[in-house]
Every structure is written in C-alpha cells, then in structure tokens.
Amino acid sequence: QVQLVQSGGGLVQAGGSLRLSCVASGNPFNRNPMGWYRQAPGKQREMVALISPSASTTYAESVKGRFTISRNNVNNTVFLQMTDVRPEDTAVYYCNAERLGSNGWYPHYWGQGTQVTVSS
C-alpha cells in the first residue's frame, strides 16, 4: 500500500525556520515528480514547490528565496526547508507524488497534511 507520511509542522514565529518531511513507502518514488502544496483558510490549494527526479526545482513566486525543496531518493523522502517564514505562510501543507498514467504524469498520491502556523 502506497503511503506518504508527513512530519515537522507546528507553530513558529515570523522570521523563524521550520522543516517539513515526507516519507513515502509502498512504491519507489525516485522516478516520480514530487512537491509540496498548501491550503490557507478560505483559499484554494496552491503549489508551493516541485522537484523532478533529477532534482530540478520550481517554486511559487511568494516563496522564492525563502523555501527550499529537496529529496533523498535512497530514503524515499522529500523535504521542505522553510526560512524567514511570514504570517501569510500559515496553512495546511501537503506532500504530493505524481503517478505515470496512460496520459502522462498527474498528481495522485497525497500526504495527510500538516498544520504550519506563523505568529507575528
């Protein structure tokens, strides 16, 4: 059974740092694009950061220079290092892994979500 288990959320003061982790099991994910998404209260879920199998990265404009996504293919783990956090970063953060279907790659596997709250 495929499972993505997240950890590392919590309360942090503005300007501080936090690291989220996501451990995948059930399938190897070294060839899957993976990413982090977040959903703030009353808002749509948005992409925060993506990482390819070759470790190329893409970031939302709002987090560029502050967040870093990385992956460890040996441990089947993806991380989100958050620095200089702001109150507007407050959201539930979700880990995601894409799956290769007949029409190409698509978002399929999701972590359980973890709350990140940034106080001012």
Side-chain angles (χ1 to χ4, degrees), residues 48 58-67 86:
V48 176
T58 302
Y59 296 95
E61 189 68 28
S62 60
V63 307
K64 284 183 178 178
R66 300 189 298 117
F67 293 5
R86 304 166 181 172

mmCIF file of all heavy atoms in Angstrom, residues 48 58-67 86:
data_model
loop_
_atom_site.group_PDB
_atom_site.id
_atom_site.type_symbol
_atom_site.label_atom_id
_atom_site.label_comp_id
_atom_site.label_asym_id
_atom_site.label_seq_id
_atom_site.Cartn_x
_atom_site.Cartn_y
_atom_site.Cartn_z
ATOM 1 N N VAL A 48 3.408 25.008 -3.880
ATOM 2 C CA VAL A 48 4.474 25.736 -3.209
ATOM 3 C C VAL A 48 5.814 25.472 -3.869
ATOM 4 O O VAL A 48 6.569 26.397 -4.177
ATOM 5 C CB VAL A 48 4.536 25.372 -1.715
ATOM 6 C CG1 VAL A 48 5.721 26.062 -1.037
ATOM 7 C CG2 VAL A 48 3.229 25.746 -1.025
ATOM 8 N N THR A 58 11.015 23.950 -8.907
ATOM 9 C CA THR A 58 10.147 25.053 -9.273
ATOM 10 C C THR A 58 9.481 25.558 -8.008
ATOM 11 O O THR A 58 9.048 24.764 -7.173
ATOM 12 C CB THR A 58 9.075 24.614 -10.283
ATOM 13 O OG1 THR A 58 9.696 24.078 -11.452
ATOM 14 C CG2 THR A 58 8.198 25.794 -10.679
ATOM 15 N N TYR A 59 9.383 26.888 -7.856
ATOM 16 C CA TYR A 59 8.799 27.479 -6.664
ATOM 17 C C TYR A 59 7.718 28.484 -7.010
ATOM 18 O O TYR A 59 7.783 29.163 -8.046
ATOM 19 C CB TYR A 59 9.870 28.196 -5.829
ATOM 20 C CG TYR A 59 10.927 27.286 -5.274
ATOM 21 C CD1 TYR A 59 12.126 27.108 -5.949
ATOM 22 C CD2 TYR A 59 10.729 26.615 -4.074
ATOM 23 C CE1 TYR A 59 13.106 26.268 -5.438
ATOM 24 C CE2 TYR A 59 11.696 25.775 -3.561
ATOM 25 C CZ TYR A 59 12.883 25.607 -4.245
ATOM 26 O OH TYR A 59 13.847 24.775 -3.731
ATOM 27 N N ALA A 60 6.736 28.579 -6.125
ATOM 28 C CA ALA A 60 5.793 29.674 -6.214
ATOM 29 C C ALA A 60 6.530 30.981 -5.985
ATOM 30 O O ALA A 60 7.485 31.044 -5.198
ATOM 31 C CB ALA A 60 4.682 29.508 -5.180
ATOM 32 N N GLU A 61 6.111 32.033 -6.669
ATOM 33 C CA GLU A 61 6.790 33.316 -6.567
ATOM 34 C C GLU A 61 6.847 33.816 -5.127
ATOM 35 O O GLU A 61 7.842 34.425 -4.715
ATOM 36 C CB GLU A 61 6.105 34.346 -7.459
ATOM 37 C CG GLU A 61 6.861 35.662 -7.589
ATOM 38 C CD GLU A 61 8.160 35.506 -8.347
ATOM 39 O OE1 GLU A 61 8.254 34.596 -9.197
ATOM 40 O OE2 GLU A 61 9.091 36.297 -8.097
ATOM 41 N N SER A 62 5.827 33.527 -4.352
ATOM 42 C CA SER A 62 5.738 34.035 -2.998
ATOM 43 C C SER A 62 6.749 33.421 -2.040
ATOM 44 O O SER A 62 6.989 33.973 -0.960
ATOM 45 C CB SER A 62 4.324 33.811 -2.445
ATOM 46 O OG SER A 62 4.000 32.437 -2.427
ATOM 47 N N VAL A 63 7.353 32.288 -2.410
ATOM 48 C CA VAL A 63 8.287 31.621 -1.506
ATOM 49 C C VAL A 63 9.704 31.570 -2.050
ATOM 50 O O VAL A 63 10.602 31.054 -1.365
ATOM 51 C CB VAL A 63 7.815 30.191 -1.156
ATOM 52 C CG1 VAL A 63 6.386 30.204 -0.638
ATOM 53 C CG2 VAL A 63 7.952 29.261 -2.357
ATOM 54 N N LYS A 64 9.947 32.088 -3.235
ATOM 55 C CA LYS A 64 11.279 32.069 -3.816
ATOM 56 C C LYS A 64 12.273 32.788 -2.907
ATOM 57 O O LYS A 64 12.012 33.876 -2.415
ATOM 58 C CB LYS A 64 11.282 32.726 -5.195
ATOM 59 C CG LYS A 64 10.686 31.875 -6.293
ATOM 60 C CD LYS A 64 10.784 32.571 -7.648
ATOM 61 C CE LYS A 64 10.222 31.706 -8.753
ATOM 62 N NZ LYS A 64 10.274 32.392 -10.068
ATOM 63 N N GLY A 65 13.417 32.148 -2.699
ATOM 64 C CA GLY A 65 14.443 32.704 -1.843
ATOM 65 C C GLY A 65 14.251 32.411 -0.381
ATOM 66 O O GLY A 65 15.146 32.705 0.427
ATOM 67 N N ARG A 66 13.109 31.855 -0.008
ATOM 68 C CA ARG A 66 12.829 31.555 1.395
ATOM 69 C C ARG A 66 12.668 30.055 1.658
ATOM 70 O O ARG A 66 13.087 29.574 2.707
ATOM 71 C CB ARG A 66 11.571 32.289 1.863
ATOM 72 C CG ARG A 66 11.669 33.802 1.755
ATOM 73 C CD ARG A 66 10.490 34.493 2.428
ATOM 74 N NE ARG A 66 9.214 34.129 1.804
ATOM 75 C CZ ARG A 66 8.234 33.482 2.425
ATOM 76 N NH1 ARG A 66 8.371 33.125 3.698
ATOM 77 N NH2 ARG A 66 7.101 33.201 1.789
ATOM 78 N N PHE A 67 12.054 29.334 0.737
ATOM 79 C CA PHE A 67 11.816 27.900 0.898
ATOM 80 C C PHE A 67 12.727 27.112 -0.034
ATOM 81 O O PHE A 67 13.048 27.566 -1.146
ATOM 82 C CB PHE A 67 10.368 27.538 0.568
ATOM 83 C CG PHE A 67 9.336 28.075 1.526
ATOM 84 C CD1 PHE A 67 9.677 28.936 2.563
ATOM 85 C CD2 PHE A 67 8.009 27.709 1.384
ATOM 86 C CE1 PHE A 67 8.721 29.427 3.432
ATOM 87 C CE2 PHE A 67 7.043 28.193 2.248
ATOM 88 C CZ PHE A 67 7.395 29.051 3.273
ATOM 89 N N ARG A 86 6.577 33.883 7.166
ATOM 90 C CA ARG A 86 5.693 35.020 7.342
ATOM 91 C C ARG A 86 4.310 34.551 7.756
ATOM 92 O O ARG A 86 3.942 33.414 7.505
ATOM 93 C CB ARG A 86 5.603 35.808 6.033
ATOM 94 C CG ARG A 86 6.942 36.273 5.493
ATOM 95 C CD ARG A 86 6.825 36.746 4.056
ATOM 96 N NE ARG A 86 8.110 37.182 3.525
ATOM 97 C CZ ARG A 86 8.324 37.496 2.257
ATOM 98 N NH1 ARG A 86 7.330 37.440 1.374
ATOM 99 N NH2 ARG A 86 9.533 37.871 1.868
#
